[in-house]
């Protein structure tokens, strides 16, 4: 059982509205949380049933005998142990009698100084405004709805079995998406859940791609990046970019909400959007490179691109990017993210000596 305690000052409904700035490295919502007086950086993750620490809990917290087998969104399994959290401070809230899972450190989150994941075991105890444009969370009591909700647009939403779901309907087909703020990229529709025989009727790009999950595991997939036709959820019309792939479940990633504002109440089964019309567009690179298994490698390549026609495939070794060599995940990833942010072209040299210049030119739109 989680116990939420008030801060040291007198509380009333108006006073308890904590504003928490967040950063968006990796497309995630990353906020400060304090454990027993030590400040940590956690990803706000509605797709995680439990809060998780990366490695440090075994040195700073007391272990329990309880363990749990966790299955990630990509279907990978791992065994984690619970640790007694002690005193957690989240904004003005003090949380006691809670336990947190611990898993091994991984390159991705270490690179961006992310110490763990705040899951729905804690998120559900509060209400939240998530302002993606101003990059702030506003935290309220679980029974409090700010006045601005009256002007927002209700989405078809349900919190069930520790999972928050958004429902999008188009014609006679309704798709259930996990609301996953721990997914920094585009939304995806799972082939395991939904069979779209007409998917080629939508604007799309076929790719060999991969994603890195909460455990730092890399999962390959053959996917289509699709401009999905307008669907409806409650009072909102939504035209998302989705990845149609072999992931375990369908989910909504943070890119759907760019420059938007949400209000979320898990206990009350409520999700509201500031915008009534939500329309994703896509412009990207036909190839990307990642440091994996001690080498720079092609991690994504679009089918029918110039690289594909020249035999380039996912997993091929890259010896240099713009003439530079990288020997670790963090340096390469930071370099690429700066390049992508500026929409710059880059040149890769493969192990066989072939060179290719990659330009941002893949486009999906209505």
């Amino acid at each position: 059982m989680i116990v939420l305690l008030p801060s040291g000052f007198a509380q009333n409904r108006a006073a308890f509205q904590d504003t928490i700035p967040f950063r968006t490295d990796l497309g995630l919502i990353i906020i400060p949380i304090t454990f027993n007086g030590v400040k940590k950086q956690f990803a706000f993750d509605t797709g995680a049933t439990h809060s998780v620490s990366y490695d440090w809990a075994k040195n700073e917290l007391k272990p329990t005998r309880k363990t749990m087998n966790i299955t990630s969104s990509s279907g990978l399994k791992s065994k984690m142990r619970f640790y007694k959290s002690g005193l957690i401070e989240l904004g003005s809230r003090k949380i006691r009698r809670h336990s947190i899972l611990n898993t091994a450190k991984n390159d991705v989150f270490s690179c961006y100084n992310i110490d763990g994941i705040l899951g729905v075991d804690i998120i559900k105890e509060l209400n939240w405004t998530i302002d993606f444009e101003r990059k702030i969370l506003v935290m309220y009591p679980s029974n409090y709805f700010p006045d601005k909700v009256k002007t927002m647009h209700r989405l078809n939403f349900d919190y069930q079995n520790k999972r928050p779901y958004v429902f999008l309907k188009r014609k006679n087909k309704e798709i259930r998406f996990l609301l996953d703020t721990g997914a920094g990229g585009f939304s995806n529709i799972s082939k395991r859940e939904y069979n779209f025989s007409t998917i080629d009727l939508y604007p799309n790009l076929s790719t060999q791609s991969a994603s890195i999950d909460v455990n730092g595991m890399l999962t390959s997939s053959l996917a289509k990046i699709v401009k999905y036709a307008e669907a409806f959820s409650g009072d909102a019309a939504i035209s998302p970019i989705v990845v149609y792939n072999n992931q375990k479940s369908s989910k909504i990633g943070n890119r759907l909400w760019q420059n938007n504002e949400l209000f979320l109440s898990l206990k009350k089964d409520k999700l509201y959007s500031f915008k009534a019309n939500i329309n994703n567009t896509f412009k990207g690179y036909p190839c990307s490179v990642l440091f994996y298994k001690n080498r720079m490698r092609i991690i994504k390549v679009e089918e029918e691109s110039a690289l594909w026609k020249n035999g380039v495939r996912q997993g091929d070794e890259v010896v240099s990017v713009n003439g530079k060599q990288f020997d670790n995940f963090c340096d390469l990833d930071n370099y690429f993210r700066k390049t992508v942010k500026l929409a710059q072209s880059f040149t890769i040299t493969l192990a066989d000596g072939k060179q290719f210049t990659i330009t941002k030119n893949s486009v999906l739109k209505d």
Side-chain angles (χ1 to χ4, degrees), residues 5 46 74 81 85 88 256 268 276 282 300 302 318 333 336 350 361:
L5 304 174
T46 56
S74 57
R81 182 170 300 280
S85 301
I88 301 173
L256 180 63
K268 301 295 184 181
F282 173 82
K300 183 195 86 171
E302 286 178 10
V318 177
D333 197 64
F336 255 111
L350 303 183
N361 58 9

Side-chain angles (χ1 to χ4, degrees), residues 215-227:
N215 299 313
M217 300 290 188
L218 195 69
T219 304
S220 297
S221 65
L222 295 174
K224 286 183 181 291
I225 302 173
V226 182
K227 175 63 175 178

Side-chain angles (χ1 to χ4, degrees), residues 304-343:
E304 303 309 316
S305 65
L307 289 89
W308 182 270
K309 291 176 181 178
N310 277 277
V312 176
R313 297 293 184 268
Q314 184 186 60
D316 287 354
E317 184 178 349
V318 177
V319 296
S320 70
V321 178
N322 288 341
K324 302 177 184 293
Q325 296 180 334
F326 297 88
D327 60 5
N328 65 81
F329 173 90
C330 197
D331 288 347
L332 176 61
D333 197 64
N334 272 295
Y335 182 81
F336 255 111
R337 288 183 184 277
K338 290 176 183 177
T339 300
V340 169
K341 187 175 182 179
L342 296 172

Side-chain angles (χ1 to χ4, degrees), residues 36 61 84-88 95-98:
N36 303 310
L61 304 178
K84 295 180 180 180
S85 301
L87 174 62
I88 301 173
I95 303 169
R96 293 190 184 275
R97 299 183 189 176
H98 185 55

Side-chain angles (χ1 to χ4, degrees), residues 242-254:
V242 298
V243 180
Y244 184 53
N245 59 13
N246 59 0
Q247 293 291 297
K248 183 181 178 182
S249 61
S250 303
K251 60 187 176 184
I252 287 179
N254 289 338

